[in-house]
Each structure stands twice: as structure tokens, then as C-alpha cells.
DNA sequence: GATCGTGTAGTCAAACTTGACTAGTGAGGG
DNA sequence: CCCTCACTAGTCAAGTTTGACTACACGATC
């Protein structure tokens, strides 16, 4: 699964009601266009698709005051909220070598409560360890790993990713256990969307020149 | 860019001439179906597409002796070889948070010569460092990183990935500098394809049960 | 007062990916 | 001798992603 659905659902949910451009702008604010496939086409497509599937409810709205084509506003449905939460949980646990999914999940983790996030992250560490074991097991020929030649570097790379991924997750667990951040039901939530008329300091026009990679 | 083109070009090139199923089987042998999107559909699609673009040359062949539909054999063209090498170089250098691209490139790096690979990997380390600097710069507000709240964990995660990625690359550089593996023009190359009639120990049927993740 | 850039809002075709499906052959078991 | 199962080889529709494009409004600039 890609990160786009999680991102879009989360963005719409935070707004209560949002049109495509608003979602697009939020994702840009979060830097998501840099670490995920959050291109305009994907966002509008995801909105339409999820509306068709009943995860979002679409309201046709008159053309905006600021020119441009007629907009559609979306609202998350109950089914959508359920899908969102299950996607979020899944993304925190799963180790699918897709860093964008984890990044998106980190951005929304505070929608769950602290204890649950800790549980999910511990589960994540276990998942990674299991995967690591499967890799070393599967790719170690009977006559020793040297037989693989340079192909062994592929395995080596996965194992390294697994180890560092587990280590990082462990660090995050410590920080959260230590009381960092504000989770669901712990009072004033952290506001991560742009309010109407607020300028976007991370908009495309003002990127740092070193960004090009 | 996805890894599929690199994988398919590399596989066809190693065979000299190969039909779709052979490529598919090689990729499975390398475990590529586990760490990349090397599904049958993608492979056949890539073959056709690249044939249309002149990177491969297609020979229509009579139905195989072993039953099944008529096969098409592909041969890499000059243009294809050029594309392959440039894709390979690019994949060794680029840090696009897509681990499958790097894995594929590792599998083929021995098609280049040792010194060039070392250069490319050093370049990779530099690229990662630059990217890391851009991230910390871009996502550190004037009033200190604490302002980001839990969103800062996204940045933290990238930075961690960059650091461990650079570290791993450095390790690989050391191993290659130390004389490991056999690169282009250094004599008997490592054979990474299945020869006709050889059994495939990693074929789908015999996977380890722990593989399911 | 034309036009140039920027922001708003979204569409579209082309390419790619996915997962399920087709279809023939041959070996082995009952 | 028939039936099932695995292997060989590939197709297809549905869904997704990409990158370029449209179209309007507003302010600034020449």
C-alpha cells in the first residue's frame, strides 16, 4: 500500500471538511511532496476513488471566490474514519521497506493514544526482527555465505536496514515512554494544518536550493 | 524510477538472449520478487515497452517444447546497453529512499569496473550528506526544533536513515577496496543466472514459511 | 493598458503496477 | 488409464502514478 490514502484521509479528517487544493497544500506544508508520491494527480485521484468507495463524502460547491474551476469539498465518513485508523495502525507496525508509509504514520500517530502507539511500535520491532531472521535464514546457503559472492551484499544491505530500523524504533519508543508529544485524549492537540489565510513557509516557491537531489 | 527496468535489462544482458519467463525466473532466483515489484505483469510489460523504445530487440519464436503460448525472445541493443549502464550508475549514486533500486544495482555492480564503482559509491555518500543537510536545514524552524512537535519525528527518521545509509555505504566501500568480489575485466565473472535445466532453489514453491510478512 | 508572474483549483493521457486468469504439457498416484 | 498437480509461458482488466496541461483572477511592471 502506498502512503497517499493515509495522507489524504488524515488531512481531510483534521480539517473536518476540505477540498482538494487544501489537502494538496497541507501535504506540501508537511513536506510530503518530498518524501512521498503526493503529486496533485495522485491526491485528486485518491479523493475521487475514496469518495466512490464511501470513505469520503463529496459536496459539490460553487466556484471559489479566487477563480478557478468549481471545487468539491470532502468530509470523512464513519467508514472512512475506520479505514483511516486501521491504515494508521497497520502503517506503524508494518515493515515494508517503504519509508514514506512510516513517515506518514508518524505524522498522524498522535490520533491514537499513547499506550496503543507504544504497543504498535513494540510490535513493529518484533516484525522487523522476524523479517531479519527470515532473510538471513533464506539467503544463507548450506556451504556458507561466501558462496553468494557480491549478491550477498544485497542481503547484507537488508539486514543492515532491518537492524537500524529496529534501533530507531526503539529510540522512538523511549521518547514516547518518556512523555514526549501530546497524544489523543491528552488535552490540546498539536495543530498541523494551515488555518485559512495563513502563509505556508514551506510552499514550493521558497524551497532551499540544496533541495535538488 | 523503479527498479524493474534495471533488473530486466540486466537479466537479458546476462543471458545474451532471453524470453520473458527466463527473466522472470532469474529475478525470482535473485529473490527480487521479495524486495522489488518484479511481478510477472511488470516484467512482461517492461520487456514490451523497452522493445518498443528500441532498448531491446524482439525475436518471435515458435512455441516452446515445454508447452504454453508462443514465446518472444529478447536481445539487448546498443541503445539498451547504454541505457542499462547509465541506469546502473545512477542507481548506485542516487539516494531516493527506494531500497529496491539500490538492491538491484548491487546485484549488477560487477558489470562496471572496481574503480568506477568506488567512485560512484563515494559520490553516493556525498549525495546522502547533502540531502541530510538540506533536511535539517529545511525543517529546523528559527525558534528551535521543539516547535515541530511530533512532526519532528519525521525529520528525525529521515536523518537517521541518511546517517545509517551513509555508514553502510562506507562499509561497502571498504570491502570493495579490500579486494572483495570480481568486477568487470578481472577474470572469471560471478555467474548469477540459472543455466538451462538447472534447478531453482529459491523458486516460489519452496519458500520458508517465515517469509510471510 | 498590455502582459507577466503567481496563486487557486483541477483535468488528462500515457505509463506503470497489481493480481487474477488462461492454456498447454508432462509426471506421478491411484 | 484417468485425474490432479506442478511447471511453462504469458495475457488482461482494473487500479495507480506521473508530469504536463488548462483556466481563471489578481497585482505588479513596463
Amino acid at each position: 500500500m502506498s502512503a497517499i490514502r493515509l495522507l489524504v484521509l488524515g488531512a481531510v479528517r483534521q480539517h473536518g471538511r476540505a477540498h482538494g487544493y487544501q489537502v494538496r497544500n497541507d501535504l506540501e506544508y508537511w513536506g510530503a511532496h518530498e518524501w512521498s508520491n503526493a503529486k496533485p494527480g495522485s491526491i485528486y485521484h485518491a479523493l475521487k476513488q475514496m469518495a466512490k468507495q464511501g470513505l469520503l463524502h463529496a459536496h459539490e460547491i460553487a466556484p471559489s471566490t479566487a477563480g478557478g474551476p468549481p471545487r468539491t469539498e470532502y468530509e470523512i465518513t464513519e467508514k472512512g474514519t475506520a479505514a483511516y485508523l486501521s491504515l494508521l495502525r497497520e502503517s506503524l507496525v508494518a515493515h515494508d521497506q517503504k519509508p514514506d508509509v512510516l513517515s506518514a504514520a508518524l505524522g498522524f500517530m498522535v490520533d491514537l493514544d499513547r499506550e496503543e502507539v507504544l504497543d504498535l511500535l513494540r510490535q513493529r520491532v518484533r516484525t522487523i526482527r522476524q523479517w531479519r531472521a527470515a532473510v538471513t535464514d533464506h539467503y544463507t546457503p548450506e556451504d556458507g555465505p561466501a558462496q553468494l559472492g557480491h549478491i550477498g551484499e544485497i542481503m547484507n544491505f537488508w539486514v543492515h536496514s532491518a537492524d537500524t530500523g529496529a534501533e530507531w524504533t526503539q529510540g522512538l519508543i523511549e521518547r514516547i515512554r518518556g512523555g514526549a508529544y501530546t497524544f489523543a485524549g491528552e488535552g490540546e492537540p498539536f495543530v498541523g494544518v494551515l488555518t485559512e489565510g495563513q502563509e505556508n513557509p514551506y510552499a514550493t516557491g521558497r524551497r532551499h536550493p540544496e533541495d535538488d537531489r
Side-chain angles (χ1 to χ4, degrees), chain A residues 102-116:
Chain A
L102 179 58
S103 295
L106 290 175
F108 294 125
M109 65 179 173
V110 294
D111 283 345
L112 303 173
D113 61 29
R114 191 178 295 267
E115 283 312 316
E116 182 173 12

Side-chain angles (χ1 to χ4, degrees), chain A residues 9-23:
Chain A
L9 282 174
V12 170
R13 202 176 103 107
Q14 282 199 7
H15 273 290
R17 199 186 232 236
H19 51 91
Y21 190 75
Q22 226 159 13
V23 170

